[in-house]
Amino acid sequence: MAYTDPHDPRWEPLIEAAWEARSRAYAPYSGFKVGAAVLLQDGRLQAGCNVENASYGGAICAERGAICAAVAAGLRPGDLEALVVVTEAPDLTPPCGFCRQVLAEFAEDLPVLLANRSGRALHRLQELLPHAFTGRNLSQS
Ligand code: THU
């Protein structure tokens, strides 16, 4: 069944995993802690947090951390079911452009739930990154 309702109880384990990962975020430079969790179609769940670096450009977002860990555990394109991103920011935190592009590598479209302590909003990757550049474009050179 599609994830079309932000209050669907199936989100709860993902939200919980994302908050737990956020508690381990390494963000000494920005102080902006992010947690993420992806659900694979086989039911496995992988969380991630942002990991910053003294060389600021070396920072890795929570979403990409979750994706990279999931790939190491076997994730391949088409296997992604859903993503959750959590922060304590008053405005819900959407994935950055880099992360949208990385997500598009693994999912044509994806339900993306953004949550903070007081609310949530459900988006779709195709809405966040319309007309994504993909491997299909590369094969048309
Ligand atoms: N960050 C994420 O982890 N995910 C997002 O969706 C937005 C930004 C991180 C990167 C950096 O460590 C900090 O938040 C501030 O940009």
Side-chain angles (χ1 to χ4, degrees), residues 105-127:
E105 182 77 20
F106 294 96
E108 295 251 330
D109 196 14
L110 187 71
V112 176
L113 186 78
L114 312 179
N116 60 15
R117 294 290 183 197
S118 55
R120 51 180 83 173
L122 184 54
H123 296 276
R124 299 204 65 93
L125 185 58
Q126 277 191 357
E127 162 213 336

Side-chain angles (χ1 to χ4, degrees), residues 27 30 32 34 49-52 59-63 85 93-96 99:
S30 73
F32 192 80
V34 185
C49 61
N50 54 330
V51 179
E52 297 186 347
I60 298 168
C61 293
E63 297 91 326
V85 184
T93 303
C96 78
C99 289

Side-chain angles (χ1 to χ4, degrees), residues 63-86:
E63 297 91 326
R64 273 177 288 156
I67 288 288
C68 290
V71 169
L75 169 70
R76 288 297 178 268
D79 295 344
L80 266 188
E81 181 92 3
L83 165 73
V84 167
V85 184
V86 302

Side-chain angles (χ1 to χ4, degrees), residues 14-98:
L14 275 138
I15 293 171
E16 198 177 313
W19 280 120
E20 195 181 325
R22 181 187 174 277
S23 74
R24 292 188 282 270
Y26 179 71
Y29 303 105
S30 73
F32 192 80
K33 294 185 173 188
V34 185
V38 290
L39 175 67
L40 278 58
Q41 273 167 359
D42 64 8
R44 282 184 295 162
L45 203 154
Q46 180 64 59
C49 61
N50 54 330
V51 179
E52 297 186 347
N53 192 273
S55 173
Y56 290 6
I60 298 168
C61 293
E63 297 91 326
R64 273 177 288 156
I67 288 288
C68 290
V71 169
L75 169 70
R76 288 297 178 268
D79 295 344
L80 266 188
E81 181 92 3
L83 165 73
V84 167
V85 184
V86 302
T87 66
E88 287 194 340
D91 289 342
L92 296 168
T93 303
C96 78
F98 277 129

